[in-house]
Amino acid sequence: MSRPLFYVPAGALDGAVPGTVVDVDGAEGRHAVTVKRLSVGEGVDLADGAGVRAVGTVTSAEGSVLGVAVGSIRREQAPPFRLVLVQALAKGDRDELAAETATELGVDVIVPWQAERSIVRWKGERAEKALAKWRSAVFAAAKQARRARVPEVDPAHDGARLAARVKAARLAVVLHEEATESLSEVLAAVTPDEGAREAEILFIVGPEGGISPAELERFIAAGARLALLGPHVLRSSTAGPAALALAGDRLGRWGGRDGRDAENS
């Protein structure tokens, strides 16, 4: 059975070496002690959410604080390209479901998109609450998947802001049922280079009513390419994760577990 993973604040693992005892408190500590009921001697992983993972053993579990003795530190390198899911806001929490599934499948950044045909609208206080809900869901999904890196969830983009991001990306793909190229064909042209680690590949998913002609024209003008996933029309909650799964395979992300290219200490 896999070791459970708990997140610690940024910087909490800086300077940690084998033998260092790290305390996990707050919500994560309470979950470890009162929900998971971990006991002394059990193996756990700690992560800072930015790629540093500590493999350790529980030394204490009291109240809402878990003590963990570090056995080794793994600094997991970021893979080539930042895979970005641009998910149009959708009704019935389908957009949030897409974000959760995308997290399990290795997405690096999630961008909520206020598309012209989105039925759901994020405005004012509602936008802040909705963004916080997405971030909470992504955090939980990353923990479930035992990821050392928690994907970023950016504030919602409108069409203009998204077009600017498309223009700056290494590749921007609009998943569209009228495309003539397959996603596999589009991804085949992508090759990593020295600057690829921070370069973005965007996968743009429209709302239930589809992407408007004006939006599509704007994205194409900014350099986006249309791509077809397969013979069937997928729901808005399914298209993005399906594209990420294919991209993960094509770009060599599915070769092993997190940490396979890690530096151990």
Side-chain angles (χ1 to χ4, degrees):
M1 183 176 178
S2 297
R3 296 182 302 272
L5 177 141
F6 299 96
Y7 289 111
V8 294
L13 298 177
D14 292 353
V17 296
T20 299
V21 175
V22 178
D23 285 339
V24 184
D25 53 18
E28 289 289 87
R30 285 192 296 275
H31 185 251
V33 176
T34 65
V35 179
K36 299 291 289 187
R37 296 186 178 276
L38 296 181
S39 57
V40 174
E42 292 192 71
V44 298
D45 283 5
L46 305 180
D48 66 354
V52 180
R53 181 191 302 266
V55 178
T57 305
V58 175
T59 58
S60 62
E62 300 177 359
S64 61
V65 180
L66 186 77
V68 177
V70 173
S72 64
I73 293 287
R74 301 175 181 174
R75 293 173 175 83
E76 299 174 7
Q77 296 181 2
F81 303 114
R82 284 160 56 86
L83 300 185
V84 181
L85 171 62
V86 179
Q87 181 68 45
L89 303 184
K91 64 182 180 180
D93 291 333
R94 291 192 181 280
D95 46 13
E96 186 180 321
L97 175 60
E100 289 179 339
T101 308
T103 298
E104 296 176 21
L105 293 170
V107 75
D108 299 302
V109 184
I110 297 169
V111 179
W113 170 33
Q114 187 74 71
E116 290 182 5
R117 293 178 176 174
S118 289
I119 297 173
V120 174
R121 314 304 292 180
W122 282 13
K123 293 182 180 180
E125 186 177 342
R126 179 180 182 179
E128 295 178 8
K129 289 182 178 179
L131 181 60
K133 186 180 179 184
W134 276 41
R135 286 174 173 166
S136 178
V138 165
F139 180 89
K143 183 176 179 179
Q144 175 67 34
R146 300 180 66 252
R147 292 186 58 171
R149 295 179 185 276
V150 178
E152 302 167 21
V153 182
D154 289 351
H157 284 29
D158 59 13
R161 187 175 179 185
L162 180 53
R165 194 156 185 167
V166 166
K167 190 173 183 179
R170 175 65 64 86
L171 173 66
V173 182
V174 179
L175 303 176
H176 201 277
E177 61 185 289
E178 295 181 4
T180 56
E181 285 187 292
S182 70
L183 182 56
S184 293
E185 291 171 330
V186 172
L187 290 172
V190 179
T191 54
D193 57 32
E194 189 173 340
R197 205 166 294 281
E198 291 300 318
E200 291 189 338
I201 297 180
L202 274 58
F203 298 96
I204 302 173
V205 179
E208 301 95 323
I211 300 174
S212 75
E215 288 173 321
L216 199 58
E217 184 177 341
R218 169 182 265 180
F219 298 152
I220 292 173
R225 295 173 65 177
L226 306 188
L228 190 66
L229 269 171
H232 309 125
V233 177
L234 302 183
R235 287 182 168 179
S236 59
S237 57
T238 309
L244 286 162
L246 179 60
D249 179 58
R250 292 291 186 271
L251 299 176
R253 290 194 173 202
W254 292 95
R257 293 186 168 209
D258 274 357
R260 65 187 183 278
D261 297 322
E263 299 175 4
N264 294 344
S265 60

